[in-house]
Amino acid sequence: MKVLFIGDIFGSAGRRMVQEHLPHVVESHSVDLVVANAENAAGGFGLTPAIANELFDHGCEVLTTGNHIWDKREIVDYFNSVNGDASGRVRRVLRPANYAQGVPGVGLYEGKTKTGQGYAVINLQGRVFMQDTDDPFRKADALLQQVSSKVVIIDFHAEATSEKIAMGWYLDGRVTAVLGTHTHVPTADNRVLPNGTAYQTDVGMTGPYDSVIGVQKEQVLQRFLTGLPGRFEAAKGDPRFCAVLIECDESNGRAKSIQRIMLGE
Ligand SMILES: [Fe+2]
């Protein structure tokens, strides 16, 4: 089974890269499942239902998010609109699972690919240099007890490389992949850990690289130089598509390989 995971889709430039590259990447690599982090797909801040639908139309099958999930207020009503359709689009948009109990949305989706292969996706958020959440390690343990699929993909949306690497080791042999998102800079440490878990500290941003992690660079520079508050807007230049391709054995969920992909215009 081949899983493509697309790193943080940022603004319209990122969405355009998904539209341009996803179909040919899926076709040329015979991809079975596409998961994407979309927390900043709406102008660089949050996700709207319309943009989630656009990404599903482009071929994404599960959307993960992170700390920016509440930036667009519509997402709360969207999560609350979930009905009995266990594989409907609303159900396939995740927020980090280790948020306070009772908040809208869920952090685990279990489904089947078009060819009937079972899989699960879990979204977690780190706690180092980030807002306070429940323990992502213990939350992973609890969720894995509920999961029946062998193929399990974890999006660990976290800031600190140490916390992400620790999660990789913690889950090695228990999940198919631990993939880092949030920092928007692809890391070159893709590898399959000894017990069969594919790992990369950060998949990298699918968005504008003529920027500071997606935001117009002049605006971020002003903030660093003066400390004054100011507008942050999504940049547009040098868009790239950043993803990882994981090949795994669907009978036991073990990863065989993890390969980095970065494509420009
Ligand atoms: Fe984030």
Side-chain angles (χ1 to χ4, degrees):
M1 180 169 168
K2 287 183 177 171
V3 181
L4 185 77
F5 185 99
I6 305 171
D8 303 55
I9 301 166
F10 196 98
S12 59
R15 286 172 359 239
R16 193 158 57 75
M17 285 293 96
V18 173
Q19 182 177 20
E20 183 173 326
H21 290 302
L22 186 54
H24 75 82
V25 170
V26 164
E27 184 165 347
S28 62
H29 294 285
S30 306
V31 170
D32 298 292
L33 170 66
V34 179
V35 182
N37 185 296
E39 75 149 353
N40 291 314
F45 302 93
L47 176 66
T48 63
I51 285 174
N53 278 327
E54 180 187 325
L55 295 170
F56 285 129
D57 289 342
H58 291 331
C60 298
E61 287 160 282
V62 180
L63 300 176
T64 55
T65 60
N67 53 306
H68 283 284
I69 184 59
W70 311 123
D71 286 6
K72 299 281 188 279
R73 302 181 74 95
E74 308 94 291
I75 206 71
V76 171
D77 289 339
Y78 185 67
F79 281 147
N80 287 334
S81 74
V82 72
N83 54 28
D85 184 359
S87 59
R89 286 184 168 188
V90 177
R91 194 55 195 74
R92 286 185 278 125
V93 178
L94 302 181
R95 48 101 174 134
N98 54 322
Y99 281 5
Q101 219 172 3
V103 302
V106 290
L108 162 67
Y109 176 73
E110 214 168 353
K112 282 190 167 32
T113 65
K114 290 176 203 77
T115 53
Q117 296 160 311
Y119 68 88
V121 179
I122 294 173
N123 197 178
L124 295 165
Q125 185 171 310
R127 293 187 296 182
V128 179
F129 310 131
M130 297 190 83
Q131 70 214 46
D132 207 20
T133 59
D134 292 345
D135 178 350
F137 295 87
R138 268 50 173 249
K139 191 69 192 182
D141 291 339
L143 290 174
L144 288 173
Q145 297 230 317
Q146 301 173 24
V147 166
S148 58
S149 312
K150 299 283 188 213
V151 174
V152 182
I153 307 298
I154 307 265
D155 174 349
F156 190 31
H157 196 78
E159 182 76 38
T161 51
S162 58
E163 192 179 19
K164 290 161 139 174
I165 294 169
M167 183 66 85
W169 289 118
Y170 189 65
L171 296 179
D172 181 25
R174 296 199 278 156
V175 303
T176 307
V178 174
L179 304 169
T181 59
H182 176 68
T183 45
H184 295 194
V185 179
T187 55
D189 60 341
N190 51 305
R191 58 178 161 161
V192 177
L193 298 173
N195 296 315
T197 295
Y199 177 81
Q200 186 169 315
T201 298
D202 201 282
V203 176
M205 171 180 70
T206 290
Y209 277 68
D210 183 15
S211 71
V212 175
I213 63 171
V215 174
Q216 289 186 18
K217 55 186 186 287
E218 298 79 8
Q219 295 172 344
V220 178
L221 262 174
Q222 270 308 107
R223 176 78 64 93
F224 277 114
L225 290 170
T226 66
L228 294 170
R231 281 163 67 86
F232 271 5
E233 292 159 304
K236 302 264 188 267
D238 191 15
R240 301 195 203 171
F241 176 90
C242 246
V244 289
L245 180 68
I246 296 144
E247 189 170 4
C248 66
D249 180 342
E250 62 269 23
S251 70
N252 58 18
R254 286 174 73 102
K256 297 176 187 166
S257 65
I258 173 169
Q259 177 191 335
R260 276 181 285 137
I261 295 173
M262 185 191 266
L263 302 169
E265 276 189 290

